[in-house]
Amino acid sequence: IRLSLVGSEMCIRDSILGARYFVADNWAVDFNYTDSEHDTNYRGAKDRTFDHTTYSVAMQYHVNFNEALRMHAGVGVGYGKWKQQGGDLSEDSVFPVVQLGGTWAPTDHTRLLAGINLSFPRYHNVAPEGDVMFRPSPVHMYVGAGIAF
C-alpha cells in the first residue's frame, strides 16, 4: 500500500473477533475487535513495527432473502490505537465504520459469515518520515463460522 512518495506499510498479522445482537427482526448491533501487526518501510527498507488494535460498534440493517440467507449493511464508529513495538510512538483515532456482508444459516444454530468492514482511521504523530498523516489499510475482509442462540 503506497502511503506517500517515501513510506509504505504491510500487514503481517491480522485477527478479528465479533459479536452481533439483534434488537429487532432486521436490526442488529455489531461489535468488532481487530488486532494486527504492521511493518512500515522508508525508502524501501523496514523502518518500524506497529501493533494496530481497533474496536467498533455498528448498527446493521439485515435483508432476509429466504429462511437461511440474509445480507446486511451497517454504519458505526470505531476506536483505534497505533503503537510502535519497542518504541514510544503511539496514537489514538476515532473514525467512521461501514460494513457489508451476508450470513447463511445451514441449520437453526450454525452460521457461516462473510463480509467487508471498512474503517477510516487517521494517525498524525506516528507517520513514517516524510509523511504528514498515516492511513493504515481500511479494509477487513472476513469469512467465519458462528453459533446462534
Side-chain angles (χ1 to χ4, degrees), residues 9-15 34-40 46 48-53 82-83 85:
E9 63 94 14
M10 180 180 75
C11 181
I12 56 176
R13 175 185 50 82
D14 194 10
S15 57
T34 62
D35 182 44
S36 55
E37 183 177 290
H38 301 259
D39 286 339
T40 58
K46 181 180 171 184
R48 296 174 281 205
T49 300
F50 287 89
D51 290 320
H52 188 215
T53 304
W82 189 254
K83 182 167 179 19
Q85 291 181 359

Side-chain angles (χ1 to χ4, degrees), residues 1 12-13 51 75 96 103-104 129 134 136 148:
I1 298 167
I12 56 176
R13 175 185 50 82
D51 290 320
V75 295
T103 303
W104 176 54
E129 188 176 328
F134 191 68

Side-chain angles (χ1 to χ4, degrees), residues 1-127:
I1 298 167
R2 193 75 180 150
L3 297 179
S4 73
L5 297 175
V6 293
S8 66
E9 63 94 14
M10 180 180 75
C11 181
I12 56 176
R13 175 185 50 82
D14 194 10
S15 57
I16 185 170
L17 179 65
R20 185 177 298 151
Y21 179 75
F22 279 86
V23 295
D25 287 342
N26 295 80
W27 291 96
V29 179
D30 187 71
F31 303 95
N32 277 300
Y33 162 81
T34 62
D35 182 44
S36 55
E37 183 177 290
H38 301 259
D39 286 339
T40 58
N41 296 299
Y42 179 69
R43 298 193 189 275
K46 181 180 171 184
D47 185 31
R48 296 174 281 205
T49 300
F50 287 89
D51 290 320
H52 188 215
T53 304
T54 64
Y55 305 89
S56 66
V57 60
M59 193 70 180
Q60 297 176 335
Y61 183 76
H62 290 251
V63 177
N64 297 320
F65 287 101
N66 58 40
E67 289 286 320
L69 181 65
R70 67 173 52 198
M71 304 300 282
H72 71 267
V75 295
V77 65
Y79 164 80
K81 184 161 193 82
W82 189 254
K83 182 167 179 19
Q84 181 183 8
Q85 291 181 359
D88 59 356
L89 290 177
S90 178
E91 188 171 348
D92 303 286
S93 178
V94 176
F95 48 86
V97 174
V98 178
Q99 302 174 331
L100 298 170
T103 303
W104 176 54
T107 71
D108 286 345
H109 297 289
T110 57
R111 302 292 185 264
L112 298 176
L113 317 150
I116 297 174
N117 292 345
L118 303 168
S119 58
F120 304 94
R122 301 292 185 257
Y123 301 100
H124 296 276
N125 297 323
V126 295

